[in-house]
Amino acid sequence: MKYAALMFDIVESRHYQDRYDVQNILMNAVSYLNYLYSEDIKKEVVSSAGDEFQGLFFNLQSAFLYIRKLQLLIYPIKVRCGIGYGEIKYDVKEWSSLAFDGEAYYLARDAINEISKRKSNAIFFNTRSNYDKYLNMLCFAGVDMKVRQSQVARWIELLADIILPIKQVEEDISFYDFILEMRHRIISSERWNKVYDKSREIEPFDTDFRFLFETRGEFRSKEDYYNNLIVEEFWSYGMSTVLAQAMGTSRQNIDRYVSLGKIKDSRTMDKTIYELLGEEIW
């Protein structure tokens, strides 16, 4: 049986001024996602050495959902990721992911070594399939859109994932209060982090999470079963209005960030990758 091995580490970890805050948000986010996606995880994601982590998933879609959500949560921290898909040598229930071995892990290690050469925070797949190169180009295109977004646009994309996720899961409101606090602290201390070579200014984006969580279930992604030529835009009518109310701003302001940050395109690309990973070609 094949599994998806996930490996990731922090990009340029030595550049961070406060390593405790970085480690704090990363460890808490990993613990939260282990709980959130527990049904999809064969072996929980754990720290393997310092800034490196690894885990084992039942399929490629689950591994992608996990690392995608992690990248949304821990911004501005960047992680690079390798995902291998193959068999494992042995399966001992009591052992952690660190004790496991086999093809899935070898391929994941090769993938993260390859992405490390590019100094990118993209997700890189290695399944020994002829389709890997096309899949990885989609991942590069997706991360290219995200790295050009402002910090507010990145926050809006995270909030959009609360009310319209790729896969419905039961989330914890209190965890997002922690994420908001840590986000402010890290952005404040990491002025070296830039977009278009301009230092970031700290922008307020306080959010009424309770209001957002109350709207979960009201939105649905567009599904056109008769159109096999494109993936429908991963956005729903009325989302900008709800996001504006939660953030205490105007819908027009949200729409401006959505447009400039290409948030709809970014989310649609993620949905495209997720759906592609569900095809019977791996």
Side-chain angles (χ1 to χ4, degrees), residues 102-114:
E103 180 187 31
Y105 287 92
Y106 303 152
L107 294 177
R109 175 57 62 190
D110 288 344
I112 199 169
N113 287 339
E114 181 64 30

Side-chain angles (χ1 to χ4, degrees), residues 80-119:
R80 57 182 156 237
C81 169
I83 298 176
Y85 188 58
E87 297 181 352
I88 56 177
K89 284 187 176 179
Y90 28 71
D91 188 353
V92 182
K93 184 178 181 180
E94 293 76 16
W95 291 3
S96 74
S97 175
L98 300 181
F100 274 48
D101 197 4
E103 180 187 31
Y105 287 92
Y106 303 152
L107 294 177
R109 175 57 62 190
D110 288 344
I112 199 169
N113 287 339
E114 181 64 30
I115 200 69
S116 296
K117 299 175 186 177
R118 302 168 180 264
K119 295 183 179 180

Side-chain angles (χ1 to χ4, degrees), residues 86-272:
E87 297 181 352
I88 56 177
K89 284 187 176 179
Y90 28 71
D91 188 353
V92 182
K93 184 178 181 180
E94 293 76 16
W95 291 3
S96 74
S97 175
L98 300 181
F100 274 48
D101 197 4
E103 180 187 31
Y105 287 92
Y106 303 152
L107 294 177
R109 175 57 62 190
D110 288 344
I112 199 169
N113 287 339
E114 181 64 30
I115 200 69
S116 296
K117 299 175 186 177
R118 302 168 180 264
K119 295 183 179 180
S120 170
N121 62 316
I123 302 167
F124 206 74
F125 287 86
N126 188 3
T127 72
R128 288 186 174 165
S129 164
N130 291 332
Y131 297 99
D132 281 349
K133 57 186 176 182
Y134 308 113
L135 174 61
N136 288 327
M137 289 308 297
L138 290 177
C139 292
F140 282 130
V143 78
D144 188 58
M145 282 187 277
K146 289 180 173 64
V147 298
R148 297 171 184 272
Q149 292 174 338
S150 69
Q151 57 180 301
V152 177
R154 293 299 292 267
W155 184 246
I156 291 172
E157 184 157 0
L158 173 60
L159 299 184
D161 208 61
I162 292 176
I163 58 180
L164 183 58
I166 291 178
K167 179 180 179 180
Q168 290 287 345
V169 287
E170 290 298 323
E171 296 220 45
D172 182 359
I173 299 178
S174 62
F175 181 73
Y176 282 88
D177 289 324
F178 164 77
I179 287 296
L180 178 57
E181 177 187 355
M182 294 303 300
R183 212 170 177 109
H184 273 298
R185 289 175 58 172
I186 293 173
I187 292 175
S188 297
S189 63
E190 306 302 332
R191 295 304 180 89
W192 60 267
N193 198 22
K194 298 179 179 181
V195 169
Y196 295 129
D197 294 324
K198 296 180 180 178
S199 296
R200 298 177 186 272
E201 295 297 328
I202 309 305
E203 298 186 47
F205 37 87
D206 291 340
T207 304
D208 183 349
F209 294 113
R210 186 166 299 280
F211 173 75
L212 274 183
F213 273 75
E214 288 173 353
T215 67
R216 284 172 60 85
E218 293 183 12
F219 298 100
R220 294 285 184 270
S221 57
K222 300 174 183 177
E223 300 289 351
D224 187 350
Y225 297 101
Y226 300 98
N227 188 349
N228 295 318
L229 300 180
I230 63 170
V231 174
E232 290 289 351
E233 185 178 74
F234 191 36
W235 195 263
S236 184
Y237 177 79
M239 283 177 60
S240 292
T241 300
V242 168
L243 292 169
Q245 288 178 270
M247 294 178 67
T249 187
S250 66
R251 180 187 58 78
Q252 290 80 4
N253 196 33
I254 295 295
D255 283 340
R256 180 172 65 86
Y257 279 112
V258 169
S259 176
L260 292 175
K262 296 185 177 181
I263 294 175
K264 294 180 182 180
D265 294 335
S266 174
R267 285 173 53 79
T268 303
M269 179 66 77
D270 289 346
K271 183 73 178 302
T272 300

